[in-house]
Structure formats: structure tokens, C-alpha cells
Amino acid sequence: MDKYIYDEKNGLWYELQGDYYLPCLKLPEEVEVHIGAWGQHHRRYLKEHRKIAYTRLLTSGKLNRYLADIDHQAEELFSQLVSQMAAAEGVTETLKASDQMEWVRRTNSIRNRAGEIVESELIYY
């Protein structure tokens, strides 16, 4: 039996694996892009809860670009929310200079709330 055969009907090459011929398939090349924490959270969510969407993005070669885009959007939204909440709640450099522990407490609270909003709007939708 030949190691490789070509099927003219569908245009695919097949490789002998044991007693069976399996198609020689290769994923399209994907551009390597840095994916931050938000993108990694979204990838985990897709992999566990949206398996079809994850597989479609993976096999089309668009997963990394998609996750990098989600990560960028989430980072921008997070920064915007933190600055808006800090301004609305009076968390300023003056507060930081006068009462550091209060500034840290309020800033952490703002960052946690902003993180939850980003997760519900972009990451776990």
C-alpha cells in the first residue's frame, strides 16, 4: 500500500495511518500576537462554554487576532472606567498625599468594580 495517495474527486492527499488513509490537513498560518490577561480569560471562556465558536476561530486561523482585539478593547474599557470612577468618587492625588491607606482602599475598590464590568461586557458574554 502506498504511504500517500491523492483523491482527484476532492483534491485531498491522504496518508496511511495503520490500516486507514487519513486526510493530510494543515491549519492555516496564524500571526503570532501578544495576548494579555483579558484575552486569555476570554480564550478560556470560549474553550469551556462556546466550543463551536472556539473551534471555528481556531481552524480558520483567526483566533489569535480575535483574542488580541478583545484584549485591547478590554484594556481600553478598563482604563476608561477606572479614570471615570476615580473622578466621580474624588479619588485624587490630593487624597493620596493626605491619606494613603484610604486612597489604596478606594482605588482597589474601583479597579475591582471596573474589572467586573469588563468581564461581564466583553469577556463572558
Side-chain angles (χ1 to χ4, degrees):
M1 295 177 80
D2 294 334
K3 178 77 174 163
Y4 293 97
I5 60 171
Y6 181 74
D7 185 357
E8 292 182 16
K9 292 179 185 175
N10 60 18
L12 291 176
W13 282 93
Y14 290 86
E15 180 180 9
L16 183 63
Q17 300 275 332
D19 293 337
Y20 301 99
Y21 279 104
L22 299 177
C24 299
L25 301 176
K26 186 172 121 178
L27 290 176
E29 294 295 322
E30 233 182 313
V31 178
E32 284 298 319
V33 181
H34 172 72
I35 300 169
W38 297 112
Q40 291 174 14
H41 289 302
H42 190 61
R43 176 183 16 220
R44 189 176 319 117
Y45 171 74
L46 287 174
K47 212 171 187 178
E48 293 175 5
H49 301 287
R50 303 277 191 250
K51 293 176 182 168
I52 294 172
Y54 175 79
T55 303
R56 188 186 77 239
L57 287 166
L58 181 65
T59 56
S60 68
K62 298 177 182 177
L63 181 64
N64 282 344
R65 175 63 55 199
Y66 171 76
L67 292 173
D69 185 45
I70 290 289
D71 185 66
H72 180 70
Q73 290 177 31
E75 197 61 49
E76 284 183 356
L77 179 60
F78 179 77
S79 297
Q80 183 181 24
L81 287 170
V82 167
S83 63
Q84 289 175 352
M85 288 177 169
E89 296 176 21
V91 179
T92 61
E93 292 296 317
T94 307
L95 176 63
K96 184 177 180 180
S98 64
D99 189 357
Q100 290 180 353
M101 291 307 292
E102 179 65 16
W103 180 84
V104 168
R105 185 184 66 75
R106 287 185 179 187
T107 301
N108 284 341
S109 173
I110 289 169
R111 291 178 60 85
N112 288 335
R113 287 181 282 146
E116 288 179 11
I117 292 170
V118 169
E119 287 175 346
S120 67
E121 295 290 322
L122 287 174
I123 306 303
Y124 305 125
Y125 66 92

